[in-house]
Amino acid sequence: MPKSVIEADYVVIGAGVAGMAFTDTLLHHGASTVAIIDAGHGPGGHWNHSYPFVRLHLPSRHYGVESRVLGNNSIVRGGPNDGLSSMASGPEIVSYYRDIMDHVFLPTGRVAYFPMTRFDWRAHATSLVTGERRAVKARKKLVDATYAAVEVPSLQKRKFQTDEGVRCIPVNDLVRISGEAHCYCIIGAGKTGVDACLWLLENGADPDSIRWIVPRDAWWINRSKVQFTQDFFETSFTYVADLLEAIGEAASINDLFLQFERRDLWLRLDRSITPTMFHGATMSKGELDKLRLIKDVVRRGHVQVIHRDRIVLEEGTISANDDWLYVDCTAAGIPPRKAKVIFEPEKITLQWVKWGRSALSAAVLGYVEATIDGDDLKNDLCQPISPPRTPADWVGTFITTARNEKRWSSQQNLTKWARSLRLDVSASLASEVMPDDAGRMAILQRVRKASQTAVVSATRLLADL
């Protein structure tokens, strides 16, 4: 039987990106108490298990919790991201969340933190250290901050088979190689696979020593276009205007993404291949140039079995050499999950309410929960968004994001807060433009004009599909 009870107004399950952002906003807009239960050893969720060379793919200031900035807004000098805003590394992010817990949350006296504790979803939590089992009681609501959890490469089960003697490592172990491998086979074409290829190239690997298995080609957002700082104002908001205008002018879904490419908004590895994957990640042109140095790119679907002398894929078999080192980069990142109701009488399920922005979405949900009465209204303001898996999926996420933002404008306090929100960098930048700044006002006018027809056009494109 449980010896004691974990009790608070809100019990948050998960101390990752969403749980931390939600809690931060809830604390700053009310007097509620919060208990945070997490199976990990420290706050930060999947970042505690990330591969050593991982970085954010957007500027650091776009991430974290609302009350404290991540990073120092510095500019990268040298390398494929030269001149862009710095992007925090995994260790920096873990340190940031530890600091938030220790110096923001716990000092309030309203937060109790239970690391190394597993919640069983039947109102009990068990310490992974002592085995103690405790009852859990949320006086107001239980908050599920794990529903949209990231799939971590180092913790996932391998999705393909390998013969005995085949050397296959998770991407986390790539930094531990000791010179015995001279040929590498990177498996996976998402952000993790890209990062692995770039890490090898940046550390002196010959492009001809790398084979890259790309089950599906992806569209990537041009990173230089989405910096959203004062120094990049014109570039970033011109990107928004171009994107909205392209949506309004597109004749079909396929035409839409080709227009994005023509306007230099989205990128792809090979212009002769139509991408079928889009997860919302960004890439710089410098990185793309490096990736194009790899000529041995295999596009025959997902790996099924790796033998010592051949690789069996969904669409055929290719030869292999016994001395290759295979690097598994097949984790899904953000796995596909169906959207579900966010606000229920006794539970909140954290999900995206603005596409691609997990921290921002959780912060919005924290504010809505703290300041607005009635679950029906809260759900009307915050329709959930499933992470996109294909380019067409992105159109749906765009429509729902626009719909949510329009509904937020019906609430005066929410509108005022959202316009000053640090995590919503574009909104706060736009709100700071002075009327006498003719150049920036003209760009914002393009955005407003194009937004009036973009949602209608996007809806038509999806219906046609």
Side-chain angles (χ1 to χ4, degrees):
M1 294 291 294
K3 296 180 180 180
S4 58
V5 178
I6 297 174
E7 184 175 0
D9 294 328
Y10 293 88
V11 176
V12 177
I13 309 303
V17 175
M20 295 292 283
F22 176 89
T23 299
D24 179 77
T25 307
L26 191 72
L27 290 173
H28 284 85
H29 294 278
S32 295
T33 58
V34 181
I36 301 176
I37 299 174
D38 190 84
H41 63 84
H46 73 279
W47 292 105
N48 287 288
H49 307 282
S50 60
Y51 45 97
F53 47 90
V54 70
R55 286 187 175 273
L56 289 173
H57 60 105
L58 285 170
S60 297
R61 63 177 297 182
H62 293 207
Y63 207 69
V65 303
E66 175 61 18
S67 67
R68 184 164 297 192
V69 175
L70 169 63
N72 57 12
N73 294 328
S74 62
I75 299 297
V76 176
R77 297 303 178 194
N81 291 293
D82 183 48
L84 301 182
S85 299
S86 60
M87 296 166 288
S89 67
E92 288 174 319
I93 296 169
V94 170
S95 176
Y96 167 85
Y97 281 119
R98 180 77 258 181
D99 184 68
I100 295 298
M101 182 65 74
D102 290 345
H103 299 108
V104 178
F105 289 5
L106 297 180
T108 66
R110 293 190 284 133
V111 175
Y113 173 46
F114 301 90
M116 296 297 294
T117 301
R118 177 166 289 127
F119 184 65
D120 65 2
W121 300 104
R122 295 186 297 275
H124 291 91
T126 302
S127 168
L128 300 178
V129 177
T130 67
E132 180 185 5
R133 186 168 179 260
R134 305 172 70 177
V136 175
K137 181 180 179 180
R139 289 188 290 266
K140 293 183 178 178
K141 289 189 178 184
L142 180 74
V143 181
D144 182 0
T146 68
Y147 185 69
V150 170
E151 187 176 284
V152 182
S154 63
L155 301 181
Q156 76 147 11
K157 183 179 179 180
R158 190 175 295 164
K159 298 177 180 178
F160 50 87
Q161 297 179 353
T162 59
D163 279 356
E164 184 177 352
V166 171
R167 294 181 301 163
C168 183
I169 61 173
V171 66
N172 292 56
D173 291 345
L174 191 55
V175 298
R176 300 181 180 91
I177 56 179
S178 56
E180 76 284 359
H182 301 286
C183 293
Y184 304 90
C185 182
I186 307 300
I187 306 172
K191 182 180 183 297
T192 303
V194 166
D195 286 349
C197 289
L198 291 171
W199 185 86
L200 285 170
L201 294 170
E202 289 165 5
N203 283 277
D206 187 332
D208 292 336
S209 71
I210 301 172
R211 168 176 282 179
W212 188 11
I213 296 181
V214 176
R216 296 186 298 159
D217 276 71
W219 283 112
W220 306 86
I221 298 172
N222 185 343
R223 185 176 297 144
S224 67
K225 303 286 187 177
V226 290
Q227 297 292 291
F228 288 102
T229 66
Q230 287 292 351
D231 291 340
F232 290 91
F233 184 99
E234 286 76 12
T235 299
S236 296
F237 281 94
T238 297
Y239 166 89
V240 176
D242 283 342
L243 182 138
L244 294 173
E245 290 169 355
I247 295 172
E249 297 170 8
S252 66
I253 288 284
N254 288 336
D255 179 54
L256 173 62
F257 305 121
L258 293 177
Q259 285 211 40
F260 285 175
E261 183 178 50
R262 285 193 291 270
R263 294 170 185 252
D264 205 28
L265 310 180
W266 285 18
L267 309 170
R268 55 177 162 168
L269 186 64
D270 188 328
R271 286 177 175 267
S272 69
I273 296 173
T274 300
T276 58
M277 179 171 70
F278 177 79
H279 293 177
T282 72
M283 182 181 293
S284 71
K285 286 191 169 182
E287 290 174 338
L288 189 60
D289 288 342
K290 283 185 171 293
L291 291 173
R292 285 173 173 163
L293 296 174
I294 301 172
K295 303 305 180 185
D296 187 3
V297 180
V298 178
R299 293 180 170 92
R300 296 193 183 183
H302 295 88
V303 171
Q304 306 295 300
V305 185
I306 301 178
H307 300 287
R308 298 186 68 161
D309 63 345
R310 66 194 187 281
I311 305 170
V312 180
L313 301 107
E314 291 174 306
E315 301 171 13
T317 299
I318 57 175
S319 62
N321 292 325
D322 195 33
D323 60 348
W324 283 0
L325 178 65
Y326 295 87
V327 184
D328 183 3
C329 302
T330 59
I334 303 176
R337 287 185 173 87
K338 292 183 178 180
K340 60 187 299 184
V341 173
I342 293 176
F343 295 97
E344 299 178 81
E346 297 180 351
K347 183 180 179 182
I348 300 172
T349 304
L350 300 185
Q351 295 159 82
W352 288 1
V353 293
K354 185 166 183 175
W355 92 267
R357 304 298 300 278
S358 56
L360 169 59
S361 294
V364 170
L365 296 176
Y367 183 85
V368 168
E369 173 63 20
T371 63
I372 292 177
D373 294 327
D375 287 343
D376 287 345
L377 177 56
K378 293 173 187 176
N379 284 316
D380 182 56
L381 293 169
C382 300
Q383 287 195 358
I385 297 172
S386 295
R389 309 300 295 170
T390 69
D393 289 342
W394 175 85
V395 180
T397 69
F398 166 79
I399 293 170
T400 306
T401 296
R403 183 262 177 213
N404 284 343
E405 291 179 331
K406 184 177 181 179
R407 290 294 296 123
W408 298 344
S409 67
S410 70
Q411 303 291 315
Q412 184 176 0
N413 290 338
L414 177 56
T415 300
K416 182 179 179 181
W417 174 78
R419 286 176 178 170
S420 62
L421 187 59
R422 182 190 68 78
L423 285 170
D424 194 354
V425 187
S426 58
S428 59
L429 281 176
S431 67
E432 295 169 2
V433 177
M434 302 303 293
D436 60 352
D437 190 335
R440 293 189 173 185
M441 288 300 294
I443 297 174
L444 292 180
Q445 183 57 35
R446 276 186 63 198
V447 171
R448 295 187 187 102
K449 181 179 179 181
S451 65
Q452 295 173 3
T453 59
V455 174
V456 175
S457 180
T459 304
R460 171 183 55 80
L461 293 174
L462 272 187
D464 291 345
L465 182 66

